[in-house]
Amino acid sequence: MPFTYKLKKGKGDEFTKELWIDRREGSKSLTWSSVLLAYHNIGKIGEVVDRPKALGDIRGVSYIYGMFYRFGLIDVPEKVNKMKK
């Protein structure tokens, strides 16, 4: 399902360490620590990440997987790449 994301702002219009995922059914919050945990797991897995859960048992990992792929931090198997087109 398509989604958008934005950084949450707090007091004084400063960015917080939360990332808000907006979807049709509602919004979800991802913490910076979840994103960092998944990021550090990339090195253990390698360049191609087969599925979101390979990054770890992390809340919201399927959103993190999509963002990492979009930003070029990971690659996906050829069969997954074909499904996205």
Side-chain angles (χ1 to χ4, degrees), residues 3-84:
F3 65 93
T4 60
Y5 52 89
K6 63 182 174 183
L7 291 171
K8 185 178 176 183
K9 288 190 176 184
K11 295 179 182 178
D13 213 27
E14 299 275 330
F15 287 112
T16 67
K17 292 189 176 193
E18 280 185 286
L19 183 67
W20 283 95
I21 307 294
D22 295 325
R23 348 178 274 169
R24 283 185 290 186
E25 293 134 14
S27 297
K28 295 188 178 272
S29 169
L30 292 177
T31 61
W32 182 241
S33 60
S34 295
V35 176
L36 282 179
L37 183 59
Y39 178 77
H40 289 298
N41 287 339
I42 293 172
K44 297 175 188 172
I45 299 164
E47 190 174 305
V48 177
V49 180
D50 292 335
R51 57 191 175 85
K53 286 286 186 181
L55 291 171
D57 189 16
I58 302 166
R59 184 176 178 271
V61 74
S62 46
Y63 296 106
I64 296 169
Y65 181 82
M67 288 186 292
F68 282 6
Y69 175 66
R70 177 71 183 237
F71 297 142
L73 297 173
I74 62 171
D75 202 1
V76 296
E78 190 63 34
K79 65 180 182 179
V80 174
N81 201 9
K82 286 180 182 178
M83 290 189 311
K84 293 180 186 247

